[in-house]
């Protein structure tokens, strides 16, 4: 897979639901469609819930990687405005 | 006016503490009420009760402080407002349900529709003892299906459309049973480890995971009260359209086999869950499950 570069990074590892998703949504809203956001989040509830909510809002997840104990990195492409 | 004894017998009107006072128990379909229902409830509680209600553990609404002489007028008003009378005594009680797929992000099934069907088929049916049914739309089991005579828990089995997969790795990371593994750049699933929670289907960004089979795990013989017992996981997978005939058969076997004042939990324990299961008529999980490769 070609290397995807994020133009912005968001750390929500210390947040809980629904702040995790709200912060991600707000960050994406400040970006242009097609831009990539890297989100760092904890496994468990945030990892279970944030990606499915992003999908629902029309954003695209390109990659999910474990980057530390219980910490994951998501590469999210900002979707078109609905 | 003499109250209609036939109506009274169906339950819902209960003697409360205090002289001459009763409470009117109403039911909901899985805890769902419209704003209009709430307005009507407020109106009825003010007119016939003392302007207050109690929310029951089975998602019903009780109006205390009603007088016997007002019963006839009250029940007529309740019907006119499309509110639903509850039940007490040896009957199938109100069906409890979680909000399900329509609202809850974890839900894999539409509990509201299922609950409406169960209510229509069984609510108020006379059984030797009280009989409780609960529905939950996923394995988080918020409505405690195992604490009921019959409990349903939504389950969905996934199927991979491999050419849509972009190998993002998400499904592997979130699969609760560790069933999904990416091996040699291919997504694989170990069917025996699948919990059926639908997380992969809900989350996959390319919709590579799709729904192959949807139904309920059915628990039988749970109860609370003085001698609580958890229900047995008796049916691993019941397709939605088999739920009504299955519950009907469970009720029939219970009616035939129970002794004295036994709750279903006691009957199942006495006979043994395996024998009870064999007595219940259930055609099996069906084509959907075979197609999903889940048959065990
Ligand atoms: S049982 Fe599942 S679907 Fe129902 S409310 Fe709980 S988490 Fe949501
Ligand atoms: S979540 Fe979907 S796209 Fe990502 S690896 Fe799994 S099947 Fe492939």
């Amino acid at each position: 897979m070609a290397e995807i570069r994020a133009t912005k990074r968001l750390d929500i590892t210390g947040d809980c639901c629904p702040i995790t998703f709200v912060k991600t949504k707000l960050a994406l809203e400040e970006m242009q469609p097609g831009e990539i956001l890297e989100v760092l989040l904890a496994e468990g509830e945030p990892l279970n819930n944030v990606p499915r909510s992003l999908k629902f809002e029309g954003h695209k997840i390109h990659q999910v990687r474990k980057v530390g104990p219980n910490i994951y990195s998501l590469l999210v492409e900002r979707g078109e405005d609905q | 006016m003499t109250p209609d004894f036939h109506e009274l017998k169906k339950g819902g009107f209960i003697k409360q503490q205090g002289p001459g006072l009763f409470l009117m128990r109403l039911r909901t379909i899985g805890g769902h009420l419209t704003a209009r229902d709430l307005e009507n409830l407020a109106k009825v509680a003010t007119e016939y009760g003392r302007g207050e209600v109690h929310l029951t553990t089975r998602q019903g609404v009780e109006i205390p402080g009603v007088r016997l002489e007002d019963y006839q007028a009250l029940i007529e008003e309740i019907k006119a407002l499309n509110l639903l009378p509850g039940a007490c005594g040896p009957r199938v009680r109100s069906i409890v349900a979680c909000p399900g797929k329509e609202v809850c992000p974890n839900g894999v099934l539409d509990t509201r529709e299922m609950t409406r069907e169960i209510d229509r088929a069984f609510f108020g049916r006379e059984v030797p003892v009280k009989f409780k049914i609960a529905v939950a739309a996923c394995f988080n089991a918020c409505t405690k299906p195992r604490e009921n005579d019959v409990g349903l828990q939504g389950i969905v089995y996934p199927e991979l459309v491999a050419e849509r997969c972009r190998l993002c790795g998400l499904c592997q990371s979130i699969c609760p049973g560790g069933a999904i593994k990416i091996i040699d750049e291919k997504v694989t699933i170990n069917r025996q480890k699948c919990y059926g929670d639908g997380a992969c289907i809900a989350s996959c960004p390319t919709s590579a995971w799709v729904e192959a089979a949807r139904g309920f795990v059915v628990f039988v013989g749970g109860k609370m009260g003085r001698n609580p017992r958890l229900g047995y996981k008796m049916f691993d997978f019941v397709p939605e359209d088999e739920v009504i005939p299955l519950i009907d058969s469970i009720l029939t076997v219970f009616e035939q086999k129970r002794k004295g004042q036994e709750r279903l939990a006691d009957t199942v324990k006495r006979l043994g869950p395996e024998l009870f299961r064999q007595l219940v008529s259930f055609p099996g999980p069906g084509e959907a499950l075979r197609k999903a490769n889940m048959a065990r």
Side-chain angles (χ1 to χ4, degrees), chain A residues 3-67:
Chain A
E3 183 70 21
I4 302 162
R5 290 194 160 273
T7 50
K8 197 167 160 180
R9 198 166 197 240
L10 176 70
D11 186 343
I12 50 168
T13 48
D15 294 304
C16 63
C17 176
I19 311 291
T20 44
F21 174 63
V22 173
K23 281 192 178 173
T24 312
K25 180 177 160 70
L26 293 178
L28 284 161
E29 269 167 18
E30 285 169 8
M31 297 167 70
Q32 294 303 312
E35 266 190 279
I36 305 284
L37 172 71
E38 178 175 17
V39 185
L40 291 177
L41 77 183
E43 70 179 1
E45 227 172 271
L47 186 64
N48 289 340
N49 294 335
V50 173
R52 64 169 83 186
S53 304
L54 289 172
K55 175 183 174 181
F56 206 77
E57 305 250 326
H59 304 295
K60 237 193 244 166
I61 292 171
H62 284 281
Q63 201 185 73
V64 179
R65 268 184 313 132
K66 192 163 186 170
V67 291

Side-chain angles (χ1 to χ4, degrees), chain B residues 41-51 70 77:
Chain B
L41 277 166
K43 180 170 162 269
V44 174
T46 309
E47 228 171 285
Y48 294 91
R50 47 189 194 214
D70 291 336
E77 180 141 11

Side-chain angles (χ1 to χ4, degrees), chain B residues 3-19:
Chain B
D4 177 342
F5 286 107
H6 179 68
E7 279 286 352
L8 268 179
K9 206 175 143 246
K10 284 198 269 178
F13 201 59
I14 301 162
K15 182 75 191 79
Q16 75 167 66
Q17 293 206 18

Side-chain angles (χ1 to χ4, degrees), chain B residues 66 70 125 128 140-141 158 171 177 201 224 229 235 268 278:
Chain B
V66 180
D70 291 336
R125 174 155 153 184
N140 287 337
C171 55
I201 301 170
M224 292 310 282
R229 197 166 314 132
F235 301 92
V268 172
Q278 283 164 19

